[in-house]
Amino acid sequence: SQKIEQNSEALNIQEGKTATLTCNYTNYSPAYLQWYRQDPGRGPVFLLLIRENEKEKRKERLKVTFDTTLKQSLFHITASQPADSATYLCALGGATNKLIFGTGTLLAVQP
Amino acid sequence: EAGVTQSPTHLIKTRGQQATLRCSPISGHTSVYWYQQALGLGLQFLLWYDEGEERNRGNFPPRFSGRQFPNYSSELNVNALELEDSALYLCASSLTGVGANQPQHFGDGTRLSIL
């Protein structure tokens, strides 16, 4: 069955450093991949979408890569700030529009 | 622009009762999705509605059902509630189109608690 794995441990980094989160998947060929941020008690907030024919996408301090050969996406936050602390979710999508979510990585940025 | 709105914010029911959750999509969005997020688990896809039709359904029993109205708002109904139905129910909306690769935008959910 389809499986998505994100950094299983919480990620702690110092303010100003680059945070790198990973999303690996098996038994699936997604047409696109989305990254979300979720704060406690809130719904996920859409950050970036990258399609299978795209290698990299950027938005301000955020960068996403998508390697369909390795079946992996990397999500980078440069110049991280304490306000970036949250759970980050990756989600795979295809023709059915059903998103398959990973369990998320908890990012903590220390001042 | 108003985001996806869900009501109620919290809902408390007892086993065997029925629950109705409501969702209003972003203006201009015709697709509505429902997800369940149980404590400690990832988001699980429940249902997708587009242009009033059910387009896809996740691995949930038939007591989970819903509908989409002509104004594109949606309702999720859960019958014969069980304790394990306690979860955050999230609604998302997107522009239309099968495989359109459109981002899904989420509301803040309804917290359903079963006593």
Coordinates of all heavy atoms in Angstrom, one line a residue, chain B residues 29-114:
Chain B
H29 N -14.6 28.4 -5.6 CA -14.2 27.0 -5.6 C -15.4 26.1 -5.7 O -16.4 26.3 -5.0 CB -13.4 26.7 -4.3 CG -12.1 27.2 -4.2 ND1 -11.2 26.9 -3.2 CD2 -11.4 28.1 -5.0 CE1 -10.0 27.6 -3.4 NE2 -10.2 28.3 -4.5
T30 N -15.3 25.1 -6.5 CA -16.4 24.2 -6.7 C -16.2 22.8 -6.1 O -17.1 22.0 -6.0 CB -16.8 24.0 -8.2 OG1 -15.7 23.5 -8.9 CG2 -17.2 25.3 -8.8
S31 N -14.9 22.5 -5.8 CA -14.6 21.2 -5.2 C -14.5 21.3 -3.7 O -13.9 22.3 -3.2 CB -13.3 20.6 -5.7 OG -13.5 20.0 -6.9
V32 N -15.1 20.4 -3.0 CA -15.0 20.3 -1.5 C -14.5 18.9 -1.1 O -15.0 17.9 -1.6 CB -16.4 20.7 -0.9 CG1 -16.3 20.4 0.6 CG2 -16.7 22.1 -1.1
Y33 N -13.6 18.9 -0.1 CA -13.1 17.7 0.4 C -13.3 17.6 1.9 O -13.2 18.6 2.6 CB -11.6 17.6 0.1 CG -11.2 17.9 -1.3 CD1 -11.0 19.3 -1.7 CD2 -10.9 16.9 -2.3 CE1 -10.7 19.6 -3.0 CE2 -10.6 17.3 -3.6 CZ -10.5 18.6 -3.9 OH -10.1 18.9 -5.2
W34 N -13.4 16.3 2.4 CA -13.5 16.1 3.8 C -12.4 15.2 4.2 O -12.1 14.2 3.6 CB -14.9 15.5 4.2 CG -16.0 16.5 4.1 CD1 -16.9 16.7 3.1 CD2 -16.4 17.4 5.1 NE1 -17.8 17.7 3.4 CE2 -17.5 18.1 4.6 CE3 -16.0 17.7 6.4 CZ2 -18.2 19.1 5.4 CZ3 -16.6 18.7 7.1 CH2 -17.7 19.4 6.6
Y35 N -11.7 15.5 5.4 CA -10.7 14.7 5.9 C -10.9 14.5 7.4 O -11.5 15.4 8.1 CB -9.3 15.3 5.7 CG -8.8 15.4 4.3 CD1 -9.2 16.4 3.5 CD2 -7.9 14.5 3.8 CE1 -8.8 16.5 2.2 CE2 -7.5 14.5 2.5 CZ -7.9 15.6 1.7 OH -7.5 15.6 0.4
Q36 N -10.5 13.3 7.9 CA -10.5 13.1 9.4 C -9.1 13.1 9.9 O -8.2 12.5 9.3 CB -11.1 11.7 9.6 CG -11.3 11.4 11.1 CD -11.5 9.9 11.3 OE1 -10.7 9.0 11.1 NE2 -12.7 9.6 11.9
Q37 N -8.9 13.8 11.0 CA -7.6 13.8 11.7 C -7.8 13.3 13.1 O -8.1 14.1 14.0 CB -6.9 15.2 11.6 CG -5.5 15.2 12.1 CD -4.8 16.5 11.9 OE1 -5.4 17.6 12.0 NE2 -3.5 16.5 11.7
A38 N -7.6 12.1 13.4 CA -7.7 11.5 14.7 C -6.4 11.8 15.5 O -5.3 12.0 14.8 CB -8.0 10.0 14.7
L39 N -6.5 11.8 16.8 CA -5.3 12.2 17.6 C -4.2 11.3 17.3 O -4.3 10.0 17.4 CB -5.7 12.1 19.1 CG -4.8 12.8 20.1 CD1 -4.8 14.3 19.8 CD2 -5.3 12.5 21.5
G40 N -3.0 11.9 17.0 CA -1.8 11.1 16.8 C -1.7 10.4 15.4 O -0.8 9.8 15.1
L41 N -2.8 10.6 14.6 CA -2.8 10.1 13.2 C -2.7 11.2 12.2 O -3.1 12.3 12.5 CB -4.0 9.2 13.0 CG -4.2 8.0 13.9 CD1 -5.5 7.3 13.6 CD2 -3.0 7.0 13.8
G42 N -2.4 10.8 11.0 CA -2.3 11.8 9.9 C -3.7 12.0 9.4 O -4.7 11.4 9.8
L43 N -3.9 13.0 8.5 CA -5.1 13.3 7.9 C -5.5 12.1 7.0 O -4.7 11.6 6.1 CB -5.1 14.5 7.0 CG -5.2 15.9 7.8 CD1 -3.9 16.3 8.4 CD2 -5.7 16.9 6.8
Q44 N -6.8 11.7 7.1 CA -7.3 10.6 6.3 C -8.4 11.1 5.4 O -9.3 11.7 5.9 CB -7.8 9.4 7.1 CG -6.8 8.9 8.1 CD -5.7 8.1 7.4 OE1 -6.0 7.4 6.5 NE2 -4.5 8.2 7.9
F45 N -8.3 10.9 4.1 CA -9.3 11.3 3.1 C -10.6 10.6 3.3 O -10.6 9.4 3.4 CB -8.7 11.1 1.7 CG -9.8 11.3 0.6 CD1 -10.1 12.6 0.2 CD2 -10.4 10.3 0.0 CE1 -11.0 12.8 -0.8 CE2 -11.3 10.4 -1.0 CZ -11.6 11.7 -1.4
L46 N -11.7 11.4 3.4 CA -13.0 10.9 3.5 C -13.8 10.9 2.2 O -14.3 9.9 1.7 CB -13.8 11.7 4.6 CG -13.8 11.2 6.0 CD1 -14.3 12.3 6.9 CD2 -14.7 10.0 6.1
L47 N -14.0 12.2 1.7 CA -14.9 12.4 0.6 C -14.5 13.5 -0.3 O -13.9 14.5 0.2 CB -16.3 12.7 1.1 CG -17.1 11.5 1.7 CD1 -18.2 12.0 2.6 CD2 -17.7 10.6 0.7
W48 N -14.8 13.5 -1.6 CA -14.6 14.6 -2.5 C -15.9 14.9 -3.2 O -16.4 13.9 -3.8 CB -13.4 14.3 -3.4 CG -13.3 15.3 -4.6 CD1 -13.6 16.6 -4.6 CD2 -12.9 15.0 -5.9 NE1 -13.4 17.1 -5.8 CE2 -12.9 16.2 -6.7 CE3 -12.4 13.8 -6.5 CZ2 -12.5 16.2 -8.0 CZ3 -12.0 13.8 -7.8 CH2 -12.1 15.0 -8.6
Y49 N -16.4 16.1 -3.2 CA -17.5 16.5 -4.0 C -17.1 17.6 -5.0 O -16.3 18.5 -4.7 CB -18.6 17.1 -3.1 CG -19.2 16.1 -2.2 CD1 -18.8 15.9 -0.9 CD2 -20.2 15.2 -2.7 CE1 -19.4 14.9 -0.1 CE2 -20.8 14.2 -1.9 CZ -20.3 14.1 -0.6 OH -20.9 13.1 0.2
D50 N -17.6 17.5 -6.2 CA -17.4 18.5 -7.2 C -18.7 18.7 -8.0 O -19.2 17.7 -8.5 CB -16.2 18.1 -8.1 CG -15.9 19.2 -9.1 OD1 -15.5 20.3 -8.7 OD2 -16.1 18.9 -10.3
E51 N -19.1 19.9 -8.2 CA -20.3 20.3 -8.9 C -21.5 19.4 -8.5 O -22.3 18.9 -9.3 CB -20.1 20.0 -10.4 CG -19.0 20.9 -11.0 CD -19.5 22.4 -11.2 OE1 -20.7 22.7 -10.9 OE2 -18.7 23.2 -11.6
G52 N -21.6 19.2 -7.2 CA -22.7 18.5 -6.6 C -22.7 17.0 -6.6 O -23.6 16.4 -6.1
E53 N -21.6 16.5 -7.2 CA -21.5 15.0 -7.3 C -20.4 14.5 -6.4 O -19.4 15.1 -6.2 CB -21.2 14.6 -8.7 CG -22.2 15.0 -9.8 CD -23.5 14.2 -9.7 OE1 -23.4 13.0 -9.3 OE2 -24.6 14.7 -10.0
E54 N -20.6 13.3 -5.8 CA -19.5 12.6 -5.1 C -18.6 12.0 -6.1 O -18.9 11.2 -6.9 CB -20.1 11.5 -4.2 CG -19.0 10.8 -3.4 CD -19.5 9.7 -2.5 OE1 -20.4 10.0 -1.6 OE2 -19.1 8.6 -2.7
R55 N -17.3 12.5 -6.1 CA -16.3 12.0 -7.1 C -15.4 10.9 -6.5 O -14.8 10.2 -7.3 CB -15.4 13.2 -7.5 CG -16.2 14.4 -8.0 CD -16.9 14.1 -9.3 NE -17.5 15.3 -9.9 CZ -18.2 15.3 -11.0 NH1 -18.3 14.2 -11.7 NH2 -18.7 16.4 -11.5
N56 N -15.1 10.9 -5.2 CA -14.2 9.9 -4.7 C -14.5 9.7 -3.2 O -15.0 10.7 -2.6 CB -12.8 10.4 -4.9 CG -11.8 9.2 -4.7 OD1 -12.2 8.1 -4.6 ND2 -10.5 9.5 -4.7
R57 N -14.3 8.6 -2.7 CA -14.6 8.2 -1.3 C -13.4 7.5 -0.8 O -12.8 6.6 -1.4 CB -15.8 7.4 -1.3 CG -16.3 7.0 0.1 CD -17.5 6.1 0.0 NE -17.9 5.8 1.4 CZ -18.6 6.6 2.1 NH1 -19.1 7.7 1.7 NH2 -18.9 6.3 3.4
G58 N -13.0 7.8 0.5 CA -12.0 7.1 1.2 C -12.4 5.8 1.8 O -13.6 5.4 1.7
N59 N -11.6 5.2 2.6 CA -11.8 3.9 3.2 C -12.6 4.0 4.5 O -12.0 3.8 5.6 CB -10.5 3.2 3.4 CG -10.6 1.7 3.2 OD1 -11.6 1.2 2.7 ND2 -9.6 1.0 3.6
F60 N -13.8 4.5 4.4 CA -14.6 4.7 5.6 C -16.0 4.0 5.4 O -16.4 3.9 4.3 CB -14.8 6.2 5.8 CG -13.7 6.9 6.5 CD1 -12.6 7.4 5.7 CD2 -13.6 7.1 7.9 CE1 -11.5 8.0 6.3 CE2 -12.5 7.7 8.4 CZ -11.5 8.2 7.7
P61 N -16.6 3.6 6.5 CA -17.9 2.9 6.4 C -19.0 3.8 5.8 O -18.9 5.0 5.9 CB -18.2 2.4 7.8 CG -17.4 3.3 8.7 CD -16.1 3.7 7.9
P62 N -20.1 3.2 5.3 CA -21.2 4.0 4.7 C -21.9 4.9 5.7 O -22.6 5.8 5.2 CB -22.1 2.9 4.2 CG -21.3 1.6 4.2 CD -20.2 1.7 5.2
R63 N -21.7 4.7 7.0 CA -22.3 5.7 7.9 C -21.7 7.1 7.8 O -22.2 8.0 8.4 CB -22.3 5.1 9.3 CG -20.9 4.8 9.9 CD -21.0 4.0 11.2 NE -19.7 3.9 11.8 CZ -19.1 4.8 12.5 NH1 -19.8 5.9 12.8 NH2 -17.9 4.6 13.0
F64 N -20.6 7.2 7.1 CA -20.0 8.5 6.8 C -20.6 8.9 5.4 O -20.3 8.2 4.4 CB -18.5 8.5 6.8 CG -17.9 8.4 8.1 CD1 -17.7 7.1 8.7 CD2 -17.4 9.5 8.7 CE1 -17.1 7.0 10.0 CE2 -16.8 9.4 10.0 CZ -16.6 8.2 10.6
S65 N -21.3 9.9 5.4 CA -21.9 10.4 4.1 C -21.9 11.9 4.0 O -21.7 12.6 5.0 CB -23.3 9.8 3.9 OG -24.2 10.3 4.9
G66 N -22.2 12.4 2.9 CA -22.3 13.8 2.8 C -23.1 14.3 1.5 O -23.6 13.4 0.8
R67 N -23.0 15.6 1.3 CA -23.6 16.1 0.1 C -23.1 17.5 -0.2 O -22.5 18.1 0.7 CB -25.1 16.1 0.1 CG -25.7 16.8 1.3 CD -27.2 16.8 1.3 NE -27.8 17.3 2.5 CZ -29.1 17.7 2.6 NH1 -29.9 17.5 1.6 NH2 -29.6 18.1 3.8
Q68 N -23.2 17.9 -1.4 CA -22.8 19.3 -1.8 C -24.0 20.0 -2.4 O -24.7 19.4 -3.2 CB -21.7 19.3 -2.8 CG -21.1 20.6 -3.1 CD -20.0 20.6 -4.1 OE1 -19.9 19.8 -5.0 NE2 -19.0 21.6 -3.9
F69 N -24.3 21.2 -1.9 CA -25.4 22.0 -2.3 C -25.1 22.8 -3.6 O -24.0 23.0 -3.9 CB -25.9 22.8 -1.1 CG -26.2 22.1 0.1 CD1 -25.3 21.9 1.1 CD2 -27.5 21.5 0.2 CE1 -25.6 21.2 2.3 CE2 -27.8 20.7 1.3 CZ -26.9 20.6 2.4
P70 N -26.2 23.3 -4.2 CA -26.0 24.1 -5.4 C -25.1 25.3 -5.2 O -24.4 25.8 -6.2 CB -27.4 24.6 -5.8 CG -28.3 23.5 -5.3 CD -27.6 23.0 -4.0
N71 N -24.9 25.8 -4.0 CA -24.0 27.0 -3.7 C -22.6 26.5 -3.4 O -21.8 27.3 -3.0 CB -24.6 27.9 -2.6 CG -24.6 27.2 -1.3 OD1 -24.3 26.0 -1.2 ND2 -24.9 28.0 -0.3
Y72 N -22.4 25.2 -3.6 CA -21.1 24.5 -3.4 C -20.7 24.3 -1.9 O -19.7 23.6 -1.6 CB -19.9 25.2 -4.1 CG -20.2 25.4 -5.5 CD1 -20.4 26.6 -6.1 CD2 -20.2 24.2 -6.4 CE1 -20.7 26.7 -7.5 CE2 -20.5 24.4 -7.7 CZ -20.7 25.6 -8.3 OH -21.0 25.7 -9.6
S73 N -21.6 24.7 -1.0 CA -21.3 24.4 0.4 C -21.6 22.9 0.6 O -22.2 22.2 -0.3 CB -22.2 25.2 1.4 OG -23.5 24.8 1.2
S74 N -21.1 22.3 1.7 CA -21.2 20.9 1.9 C -21.5 20.5 3.3 O -21.3 21.3 4.2 CB -19.8 20.3 1.5 OG -19.8 18.9 1.7
E75 N -22.0 19.3 3.5 CA -22.4 18.8 4.7 C -21.8 17.4 4.9 O -21.8 16.6 3.9 CB -23.9 18.7 4.8 CG -24.6 18.8 6.1 CD -26.1 18.9 5.9 OE1 -26.7 17.8 5.5 OE2 -26.6 20.0 6.0
L76 N -21.3 17.1 6.0 CA -20.8 15.7 6.3 C -21.7 15.2 7.4 O -21.9 15.8 8.5 CB -19.4 15.7 6.8 CG -18.8 14.4 7.3 CD1 -18.6 13.4 6.1 CD2 -17.4 14.6 7.9
N77 N -22.3 14.0 7.2 CA -23.1 13.4 8.2 C -22.4 12.1 8.6 O -21.9 11.3 7.8 CB -24.5 13.0 7.6 CG -25.3 14.3 7.2 OD1 -25.7 15.0 8.1 ND2 -25.4 14.5 5.9
V78 N -22.4 11.9 10.0 CA -21.9 10.7 10.5 C -23.0 10.0 11.4 O -23.5 10.7 12.3 CB -20.7 10.9 11.4 CG1 -20.0 9.6 11.8 CG2 -19.7 11.8 10.6
N79 N -23.5 8.9 11.0 CA -24.5 8.2 11.7 C -24.0 7.2 12.7 O -22.8 6.7 12.5 CB -25.5 7.5 10.7 CG -26.2 8.4 9.8 OD1 -26.7 9.5 10.3 ND2 -26.3 8.1 8.5
A80 N -24.8 6.8 13.6 CA -24.4 5.7 14.6 C -23.0 5.9 15.1 O -22.2 5.1 15.0 CB -24.6 4.3 13.9
L81 N -22.8 7.1 15.7 CA -21.5 7.5 16.2 C -20.9 6.5 17.1 O -21.5 5.9 18.0 CB -21.6 8.8 16.9 CG -21.8 10.0 15.9 CD1 -22.3 11.2 16.7 CD2 -20.5 10.3 15.1
E82 N -19.6 6.3 16.9 CA -18.8 5.4 17.7 C -17.6 6.2 18.4 O -17.3 7.2 17.9 CB -18.2 4.2 16.9 CG -19.2 3.4 16.2 CD -18.6 2.3 15.3 OE1 -17.4 2.2 15.3 OE2 -19.4 1.6 14.7
L83 N -17.1 5.6 19.5 CA -16.1 6.4 20.2 C -14.9 6.7 19.3 O -14.3 7.8 19.5 CB -15.6 5.5 21.4 CG -16.6 5.3 22.6 CD1 -16.0 4.4 23.6 CD2 -17.0 6.6 23.2
E84 N -14.5 5.8 18.4 CA -13.4 6.1 17.6 C -13.6 7.1 16.5 O -12.7 7.5 15.8 CB -12.9 4.8 16.9 CG -13.9 4.0 16.2 CD -14.5 2.9 17.0 OE1 -14.7 3.1 18.2 OE2 -14.9 1.9 16.4
D85 N -14.8 7.6 16.4 CA -15.1 8.7 15.5 C -14.7 10.1 16.1 O -14.7 11.1 15.4 CB -16.6 8.8 15.2 CG -17.1 7.6 14.5 OD1 -16.3 6.9 13.8 OD2 -18.3 7.3 14.6
S86 N -14.3 10.1 17.3 CA -13.7 11.3 17.9 C -12.5 11.8 17.2 O -11.5 11.0 17.1 CB -13.4 11.1 19.4 OG -14.5 10.8 20.2
A87 N -12.5 13.0 16.6 CA -11.4 13.5 15.8 C -11.7 14.9 15.4 O -12.8 15.4 15.6 CB -11.3 12.6 14.5
L88 N -10.7 15.5 14.7 CA -10.9 16.8 14.1 C -11.3 16.5 12.6 O -10.6 15.8 11.9 CB -9.6 17.6 14.1 CG -9.6 19.0 13.5 CD1 -10.5 19.9 14.3 CD2 -8.2 19.6 13.5
Y89 N -12.4 17.0 12.2 CA -12.9 16.9 10.8 C -12.6 18.1 10.0 O -13.1 19.2 10.4 CB -14.4 16.5 10.8 CG -14.6 15.1 11.3 CD1 -14.7 14.8 12.7 CD2 -14.6 14.0 10.4 CE1 -14.8 13.5 13.1 CE2 -14.8 12.7 10.9 CZ -14.9 12.5 12.2 OH -15.0 11.2 12.7
L90 N -11.8 18.0 9.0 CA -11.4 19.1 8.2 C -12.0 19.1 6.9 O -12.1 18.1 6.2 CB -9.8 19.1 8.1 CG -9.0 19.3 9.4 CD1 -7.6 18.7 9.3 CD2 -9.0 20.8 9.7
C91 N -12.4 20.3 6.4 CA -12.9 20.5 5.1 C -11.9 21.3 4.3 O -11.3 22.2 4.9 CB -14.3 21.3 5.2 SG -15.0 21.8 3.6
A92 N -11.8 21.0 3.0 CA -10.9 21.8 2.2 C -11.7 22.1 0.9 O -12.6 21.4 0.5 CB -9.6 21.0 1.9
S93 N -11.2 23.1 0.2 CA -11.8 23.4 -1.1 C -10.8 23.8 -2.1 O -9.6 24.1 -1.8 CB -12.9 24.6 -1.0 OG -12.2 25.8 -0.9
S94 N -11.1 23.6 -3.4 CA -10.2 23.9 -4.5 C -11.0 24.3 -5.7 O -12.2 24.1 -5.8 CB -9.2 22.7 -4.8 OG -9.9 21.8 -5.5
L95 N -10.2 24.9 -6.7 CA -10.8 25.1 -8.0 C -11.2 23.7 -8.6 O -10.6 22.7 -8.2 CB -9.9 25.9 -8.9 CG -9.6 27.3 -8.4 CD1 -8.5 27.9 -9.3 CD2 -10.9 28.2 -8.6
T96 N -12.0 23.7 -9.5 CA -12.6 22.4 -10.0 C -11.6 21.7 -10.9 O -10.5 22.2 -11.3 CB -13.9 22.7 -10.8 OG1 -14.6 21.4 -10.9 CG2 -13.6 23.3 -12.1
G97 N -12.0 20.5 -11.2 CA -11.3 19.7 -12.3 C -10.6 18.5 -11.7 O -9.8 18.6 -10.8
V98 N -10.9 17.4 -12.3 CA -10.2 16.2 -12.0 C -8.8 16.3 -12.4 O -8.5 16.6 -13.5 CB -10.9 15.0 -12.7 CG1 -10.1 13.7 -12.5 CG2 -12.3 14.8 -12.2
G99 N -7.9 15.9 -11.5 CA -6.5 16.0 -11.8 C -6.0 17.4 -12.2 O -5.0 17.5 -12.8
A100 N -6.7 18.4 -11.7 CA -6.4 19.7 -12.1 C -5.1 20.2 -11.3 O -4.7 21.3 -11.6 CB -7.5 20.7 -11.8
N101 N -4.6 19.4 -10.4 CA -3.5 19.8 -9.6 C -3.6 21.2 -8.9 O -2.7 22.0 -8.9 CB -2.2 19.9 -10.6 CG -1.9 18.5 -11.2 OD1 -2.5 17.5 -10.8 ND2 -1.0 18.5 -12.1
Q102 N -4.8 21.4 -8.4 CA -5.0 22.6 -7.7 C -4.8 22.4 -6.2 O -5.1 21.4 -5.6 CB -6.5 23.1 -7.9 CG -6.8 23.4 -9.3 CD -6.1 24.6 -9.8 OE1 -5.7 25.5 -9.0 NE2 -5.8 24.7 -11.1
P103 N -4.2 23.4 -5.5 CA -4.0 23.3 -4.1 C -5.3 23.2 -3.4 O -6.3 23.9 -3.8 CB -3.2 24.6 -3.7 CG -3.4 25.5 -4.9 CD -3.6 24.7 -6.1
Q104 N -5.4 22.5 -2.3 CA -6.5 22.4 -1.5 C -6.3 23.3 -0.2 O -5.3 23.2 0.4 CB -6.8 20.9 -1.0 CG -7.1 20.0 -2.2 CD -7.4 18.6 -1.8 OE1 -7.7 18.3 -0.6 NE2 -7.3 17.7 -2.7
H105 N -7.3 24.1 0.1 CA -7.2 25.1 1.1 C -8.2 24.6 2.2 O -9.4 24.4 2.0 CB -7.6 26.5 0.7 CG -6.6 27.0 -0.4 ND1 -5.5 27.6 -0.1 CD2 -6.7 26.9 -1.7 CE1 -4.8 28.0 -1.2 NE2 -5.5 27.5 -2.2
F106 N -7.7 24.6 3.5 CA -8.4 24.0 4.6 C -9.0 25.0 5.5 O -8.5 26.1 5.7 CB -7.5 23.1 5.4 CG -7.1 21.8 4.8 CD1 -6.2 21.7 3.8 CD2 -7.8 20.6 5.1 CE1 -5.8 20.5 3.2 CE2 -7.5 19.4 4.6 CZ -6.5 19.3 3.6
G107 N -10.1 24.6 6.1 CA -10.7 25.3 7.2 C -10.0 24.9 8.5 O -9.1 24.0 8.5
D108 N -10.5 25.4 9.6 CA -9.9 25.0 10.9 C -10.6 23.8 11.6 O -10.2 23.4 12.7 CB -9.9 26.2 11.9 CG -8.8 27.2 11.6 OD1 -7.8 26.8 11.0 OD2 -9.0 28.4 11.9
G109 N -11.6 23.3 10.9 CA -12.1 22.0 11.4 C -13.2 22.1 12.4 O -13.5 23.1 13.0
T110 N -13.9 21.0 12.6 CA -14.9 20.8 13.6 C -14.3 19.7 14.5 O -14.0 18.6 14.0 CB -16.2 20.3 13.1 OG1 -16.8 21.4 12.4 CG2 -17.2 19.9 14.2
R111 N -14.2 20.0 15.8 CA -13.7 19.0 16.8 C -14.9 18.2 17.3 O -15.8 18.7 17.9 CB -13.0 19.7 17.9 CG -12.6 18.7 19.1 CD -11.5 17.9 18.8 NE -10.3 18.6 18.4 CZ -9.2 18.0 18.0 NH1 -9.1 16.7 17.8 NH2 -8.1 18.7 17.7
L112 N -15.0 16.9 16.9 CA -16.1 16.1 17.3 C -15.7 15.1 18.4 O -14.7 14.4 18.3 CB -16.6 15.2 16.1 CG -17.7 14.2 16.3 CD1 -19.0 14.9 16.8 CD2 -17.9 13.4 15.0
S113 N -16.4 15.2 19.5 CA -16.1 14.4 20.7 C -17.2 13.5 21.0 O -18.4 14.0 21.1 CB -15.8 15.3 21.9 OG -14.7 16.1 21.7
I114 N -17.0 12.2 21.1 CA -18.0 11.2 21.4 C -17.8 10.7 22.8 O -16.8 10.2 23.2 CB -17.9 10.0 20.4 CG1 -17.8 10.5 19.0 CG2 -19.1 9.1 20.6 CD1 -18.9 11.4 18.5

